[in-house]
Amino acid sequence: MSPDTMITHFVGASALILVAAHSGGWLARRLGQPYIVGQLATGIALGPSLLGSAAPKAYATLFPAAIGPALTGLAQFSLVVFLFAVGYELDLRVLGVRARSSVLVALASFAVPMAVGSGGALVFWDALHDLGMPRDPSPAVVVFAGVALATTAVPVLTAIVRENGLSRTVPGVVAVSAAGVLDAVCWTVLAGALLNAGGGDAGAGLDWPWRVGLTLGFVAAMACAARPLLRRLLWRTRLEPSLRMALLIGFALGSAWVTHALGLHVIFGALLAGVVVPREAGGTLDPDLLRPLLSVASLLLPFFFVLSGQSVALNGMTGTGWAALLVVTLLAVTTKTVSGAATARLGGLDRHDARTVGILLNTRGLTELIVLNAGLEAGLLSAPLYTVLVFMALATTLLTQPLLLLNARLAARDRRPVSARSTAVKPYAG
């Protein structure tokens, strides 16, 4: 394929991806689901399992192999920008007066799914071997299985909290705060698993102790040197917004390149870059920085969803795969909702508010997809198991809104006076 032809295909495919994915997100929102659900479903629909099976010639024309590297590069760019914004927004000071409850909820909703996921991987390893996993499980694979069950999607959870009017309620605050702590713990454990695995081709020339030492040194340099340098360069000199944005995105890309070279994924460099960027006076976020970052990320993230959909092998799912999907989804929903709700109840919330916290923490969405793609790239997942976990992420995210509505109805019924609930007509006894 000539360069001109490849550019033509890339432009056409990009137009289709942007329009289809954002249309799918709009439709999902109209149906009462998060925007991301529609985008993910669209990405899977444009992949080889659906479009490739239904119209193989059209699929080959729209997505020839030659444009794969360009689509992957754009997907990675959008991911770096998005996670840079996530890191910049991350602020554990929002815990406030609910700090103890939120931390306990976060630790419980991490530890229980982590233990069940890792233990389940060992117990059911023969079934996972049938899904393309190696004969013997490595420590990195076992840890990754736990992280895959323990992940919560903070951006999607925050959007659901906002759309349901829970932002200023106790369960909404506890859930968002706990998710922030949980997110930090999951990224740290995932980094350890990827370092142990070698991160695929990246970092393969370095032994594990060297990767750990260099990673810790890089984190220290970012915290001790990059942060004060950025504060002096960007805020004291008052650069114009466009130049400041270019420098910060370049900084995020450079940080992502370093972590990828160390055997980690680009996601860690992007997150770290966002965390070390100094805030405005008083710790407030700079809207002139955050708004365009989120706009660029939300516009381009469909490329990441399509990239995720390209690896979904739905037509290769066997009976073992469907059984694994059912078991994994049940474990994912049960461990998250029960551990989150039980700990929130012990923290002083009533049972309805505690259930709300557990249901919200069950949202996996985009963060789960990022984790799964990192695991697939590092060789910690087979294609069939990746497909199972992607559909688990979609199912748990889809269940969040209906479960919230059901919980709200139960709460409304229980809070009505007893006389109002006694509607049955007593038989005449005279």
Side-chain angles (χ1 to χ4, degrees):
M1 181 180 292
S2 68
D4 287 343
T5 305
M6 186 183 73
I7 291 172
T8 301
H9 278 281
F10 175 73
V11 170
S14 298
L16 174 64
I17 290 169
L18 288 174
V19 173
H22 283 287
S23 298
W26 173 84
L27 180 60
R29 186 168 288 168
R30 295 277 294 184
L31 296 174
Q33 289 293 337
Y35 200 81
I36 183 183
V37 168
Q39 291 187 316
L40 175 56
T42 302
I44 294 173
L46 292 176
S49 295
L50 295 181
L51 180 61
S53 298
K57 290 185 178 179
Y59 177 77
T61 301
L62 290 169
F63 301 105
I67 69 170
L71 291 176
T72 301
L74 198 50
Q76 294 295 322
F77 175 80
S78 67
L79 201 56
V80 168
V81 175
F82 172 75
L83 288 171
F84 177 59
V86 169
Y88 180 61
E89 284 186 294
L90 184 62
D91 185 6
L92 298 184
R93 291 177 299 178
V94 300
L95 295 175
V97 296
R98 290 282 175 177
R100 183 175 178 274
S101 298
S102 299
V103 171
L104 290 176
V105 168
L107 294 178
S109 60
F110 170 79
V112 174
M114 181 77 192
V116 171
S118 298
L122 293 173
V123 172
F124 298 108
W125 190 257
D126 288 339
L128 297 181
H129 177 63
D130 293 339
L131 293 175
M133 297 299 288
R135 170 62 62 183
D136 298 315
S138 67
V141 169
V142 174
V143 171
F144 183 84
V147 174
L149 228 61
T151 301
T152 292
V154 177
V156 181
L157 183 152
T158 304
I160 292 174
V161 165
R162 189 186 310 116
E163 290 170 6
N164 283 272
L166 298 172
S167 300
R168 297 184 181 276
T169 65
V170 171
V173 171
V174 170
V176 172
S177 304
V181 177
L182 179 63
D183 216 27
V185 175
C186 282
W187 289 124
T188 303
V189 175
L190 178 62
L194 293 181
L195 280 172
N196 184 262
D201 294 334
L206 294 172
D207 292 332
W208 186 79
W210 276 104
R211 286 198 299 273
V212 173
L214 290 173
T215 300
L216 292 176
F218 178 64
V219 172
M222 290 284 281
C224 300
R227 187 178 181 86
L229 181 62
L230 285 172
R231 181 179 290 111
R232 177 172 298 180
L233 176 65
L234 299 177
W235 309 144
R236 292 186 182 178
T237 56
R238 291 300 172 183
L239 298 174
E240 62 179 68
S242 59
L243 178 57
R244 184 174 60 177
M245 179 65 63
L247 288 174
L248 287 174
I249 290 180
F251 172 65
L253 291 169
S255 178
W257 174 79
V258 171
T259 56
H260 187 267
L262 291 173
L264 288 166
H265 198 275
V266 297
I267 57 180
F268 296 101
L271 277 168
L272 181 59
V275 169
V276 302
V277 169
R279 296 181 170 219
E280 294 288 279
T284 59
L285 297 171
D286 180 5
D288 293 332
L289 170 61
L290 189 60
R291 192 182 302 112
L293 278 176
L294 293 176
S295 297
V296 171
S298 63
L299 175 67
L300 298 180
L301 270 176
F303 289 94
F304 173 72
F305 293 117
V306 170
L307 179 67
S308 302
Q310 297 294 311
S311 301
V312 171
L314 185 60
N315 48 9
M317 285 279 282
T318 61
T320 303
W322 290 112
L325 174 59
L326 177 61
V327 171
V328 168
T329 303
L330 286 174
L331 289 176
V333 173
T334 304
T335 55
K336 273 290 187 182
T337 54
V338 172
S339 61
T343 314
R345 189 81 173 95
L346 292 174
L349 277 69
D350 67 39
R351 64 179 184 275
H352 301 295
D353 285 349
R355 281 201 300 260
T356 299
V357 172
I359 291 168
L360 288 170
L361 290 175
N362 185 50
T363 306
R364 286 173 174 84
L366 177 57
T367 305
E368 181 76 18
L369 286 185
I370 296 171
V371 169
L372 295 180
N373 275 271
L376 183 65
E377 185 178 313
L380 299 177
L381 285 178
S382 62
L385 185 55
Y386 172 83
T387 301
V388 168
L389 294 176
V390 165
F391 278 96
M392 179 273 287
L394 182 60
T396 53
T397 308
L398 278 169
L399 283 170
T400 302
Q401 193 64 35
L403 289 176
L404 284 175
L405 292 175
L406 176 61
N407 187 51
R409 289 174 182 171
L410 291 174
R413 186 195 66 183
D414 291 347
R415 287 165 182 163
R416 287 203 307 267
V418 175
S419 58
R421 287 186 270 127
S422 303
T423 56
V425 178
K426 296 180 180 181
Y428 179 65

